[in-house]
Amino acid sequence: MTILVTGGAGFIGSHTCVELLNSNHEIIVLDNYSNSNIESLNRVKRLTGKDFKVYEVDLLDKEKVEEVFKENSIEAVIHFAGLKAVGESVEKPIYYYQNNIMGTLILTELMQKYCVHNLVFSSSATVYGDPKEVPISEDSPLYATNPYGRTKLMIEEILRDLYVSNNNWSIASLRYFNPIGAHESGLIGEDPKGIPNNLMPYITHVATGKLTELNVFGNDYSTPDGTGVRDYIHVVDLAKGHIKSLGKVLSTKGIEAYNLGTGQGYSVLELVDAFEKASGQKIPYKIAPRRSGDIAECYADPAKAERELGWTTVKSLEEMCIDSWRWQKKNPDGYLTKAAYMSGH
Ligand code: NAD
Ligand code: UFG
């Protein structure tokens, strides 16, 4: 029996593929490479010494997705495929609703048709909007502040309706906090297209000299140093959370949401400081106006995931910085840096 990984060529998907293969799961990957590169999957194969089928398919192409279900005996789906840039979602809401919601509807319709009822879904801490209290537990109020967040919230609700309609479903919605870091091999990591939106890839681009300085978006929040506080989680810890969630989904029925975070918040300036120490690189920065839509503080209460999945994070902020930097240094042009990878530098 096989695990179908949608969006498996992406940042979190590729790291999860490694963990799935290392725990002896058979996988197949479906991706349209709209925000990724097939090279990530080549590297997953080299890293694990294991082969798997890869389908270059758009989730919106129902006929092609159906072929994947016909050709394989699928036991469960881990559904990463989605668009994730908050700013872009404000500019192109239809594109986001179509891709994320239609993609999930097509996927779940086919899962239903082929009697595949086990699903792990990539949700996001963004479903908590601007939280009234931190740490945030799963039963905190849910609301979205932008179209991207609304796609996650709507999909969570669609999945709840699906379970109500048919109690054979077993679904975990995983609410990720802020994934950073990379595999310790330096072979796979985060490879954003264009200028990064997120803090860690922006910092690593400053460190390589591709960008000149970091804009710190606001230092007048009600946080200890005035800059935004987030729950940064190592992507390998996050990937391992998927293995635990898959185990739970395969062994029970029902629908649950889990926070995947460390429970510890760090400010922008604390992350800059930790990165400078870990990399030995100076990160010049200036204080810039607040970014529209940003919140002051967001960190998880991860107790439910520990209790029900037996999962906790183990990697420190220092390891996150070291691994992000190793990946960026070895791959200054991301997956296009084939020469550096081949020569092992
Ligand atoms: P990513 O962009 O690196 O990976 C997503 C993958 O999905 C990409 O490979 C992309 O090509 C693929 N994809 C998108 N639309 C597709 C479609 N219609 N058909 C087939 N493939 C498609 O993003 P990521 O950081 O790995 O995130 C994975 C999931 O986790 C996303 O759903 C994202 O919204 C969610 N998430 C990410 C973060 C984060 O900060 N990285 C935080 C919370 C939630
Ligand atoms: N920041 C800067 N400068 C930058 C980029 C970010 O100061 O150039 C600050 C932000 O203001 C924020 C913090 O760094 O305080 C983290 O910002 P990110 O963009 O890295 O992450 P966000 O918390 O804004 O959002 C991320 C994902 C969302 C997801 C959310 C919760 O981008 O998709 O985490 O999981 F919903």
Side-chain angles (χ1 to χ4, degrees):
M1 294 292 254
T2 299
I3 312 301
L4 170 63
V5 185
T6 75
F11 173 43
I12 307 168
S14 55
H15 288 81
T16 303
C17 287
V18 169
E19 299 305 322
L20 285 165
L21 293 165
N22 285 344
S23 22
N24 293 321
H25 287 288
E26 278 184 24
I27 65 167
I28 51 179
V29 170
L30 178 158
D31 205 299
N32 66 356
Y33 307 122
S34 56
N35 195 38
S36 54
N37 189 307
I38 193 171
E39 177 62 11
S40 67
L41 296 173
N42 295 336
R43 294 188 186 188
V44 168
K45 290 178 184 178
R46 277 180 222 151
L47 196 50
T48 58
K50 293 187 177 167
D51 202 8
F52 51 88
K53 276 200 257 181
V54 176
Y55 290 86
E56 181 172 354
V57 166
D58 192 315
L59 264 187
L60 299 183
D61 186 340
K62 189 172 170 185
E63 280 176 22
K64 289 216 175 112
V65 182
E66 180 149 18
E67 279 169 30
V68 178
F69 279 86
K70 277 190 190 145
E71 285 171 19
N72 298 281
S73 175
I74 296 169
E75 188 180 19
V77 179
I78 306 186
H79 178 33
F80 294 103
L83 299 167
K84 62 166 184 176
V86 173
E88 187 185 48
S89 80
V90 175
E91 285 157 27
K92 301 179 185 169
I94 294 172
Y95 179 44
Y96 270 66
Y97 288 121
Q98 207 147 43
N99 192 79
N100 293 5
I101 301 218
M102 279 306 294
T104 305
L105 287 175
I106 289 171
L107 175 70
T108 47
E109 189 186 353
L110 289 169
M111 288 176 71
Q112 183 117 280
K113 181 167 173 186
Y114 288 85
C115 293
V116 182
H117 292 119
N118 300 312
L119 176 65
V120 176
F121 167 62
S122 297
S123 186
S124 167
T126 195
V127 298
Y128 298 116
D130 190 352
K132 285 216 167 53
E133 275 179 18
V134 281
I136 308 168
S137 69
E138 287 82 355
D139 48 21
S140 304
L142 302 180
Y143 74 96
T145 55
N146 55 68
Y148 164 69
R150 261 184 289 283
T151 69
K152 294 296 180 192
L153 205 46
M154 285 178 189
I155 293 169
E156 283 202 15
E157 285 174 357
I158 290 167
L159 297 179
R160 269 190 285 274
D161 288 340
L162 208 50
Y163 175 71
V164 169
S165 75
N166 178 348
N167 288 178
N168 282 323
W169 280 91
S170 182
I171 301 171
S173 289
L174 305 183
R175 297 175 181 158
Y176 310 153
F177 283 69
N178 289 57
I180 60 171
H183 194 269
E184 63 178 7
S185 62
L187 290 181
I188 56 172
E190 188 169 11
D191 184 18
K193 292 194 168 151
I195 296 176
N197 294 311
N198 297 118
L199 181 58
M200 181 54 103
Y202 202 102
I203 289 176
T204 59
H205 279 56
V206 171
T208 58
K210 285 192 155 196
L211 295 168
T212 49
E213 65 178 351
L214 171 70
N215 292 302
V216 174
F217 296 142
N219 66 349
D220 56 354
Y221 287 105
S222 57
T223 59
D225 66 18
T227 66
V229 167
R230 296 291 183 275
D231 186 337
Y232 297 98
I233 171 172
H234 197 294
V235 66
V236 171
D237 275 339
L238 184 63
K240 289 182 173 159
H242 290 73
I243 311 303
K244 294 286 192 183
S245 305
L246 180 65
K248 167 93 181 180
V249 157
L250 290 174
S251 60
T252 53
K253 304 224 180 285
I255 177 159
E256 292 291 341
Y258 295 102
N259 284 343
L260 297 189
T262 65
Q264 168 82 50
Y266 289 101
S267 74
V268 175
L269 294 182
E270 282 174 323
L271 187 66
V272 169
D273 185 53
F275 185 85
E276 288 187 337
K277 289 199 173 101
S279 66
Q281 304 293 307
K282 189 88 199 122
I283 304 299
Y285 69 84
K286 69 167 190 292
I287 304 299
R290 289 183 178 195
R291 183 171 65 179
S292 155
D294 269 356
I295 56 176
E297 269 193 305
C298 175
Y299 56 93
D301 173 352
K304 184 179 175 190
E306 179 167 11
R307 203 171 53 241
E308 295 188 14
L309 304 176
W311 172 86
T312 48
T313 58
V314 295
K315 289 185 181 276
S316 64
L317 190 67
E318 186 188 10
E319 286 168 289
M320 299 181 212
C321 292
I322 288 172
D323 291 340
S324 289
W325 178 228
R326 185 188 299 107
W327 153 255
Q328 193 66 69
K329 218 171 24 174
K330 283 179 92 170
N331 305 274
D333 295 316
Y335 288 112
L336 301 177
T337 320
K338 286 187 184 150
Y341 165 67
M342 297 309 281
S343 65
H345 292 127

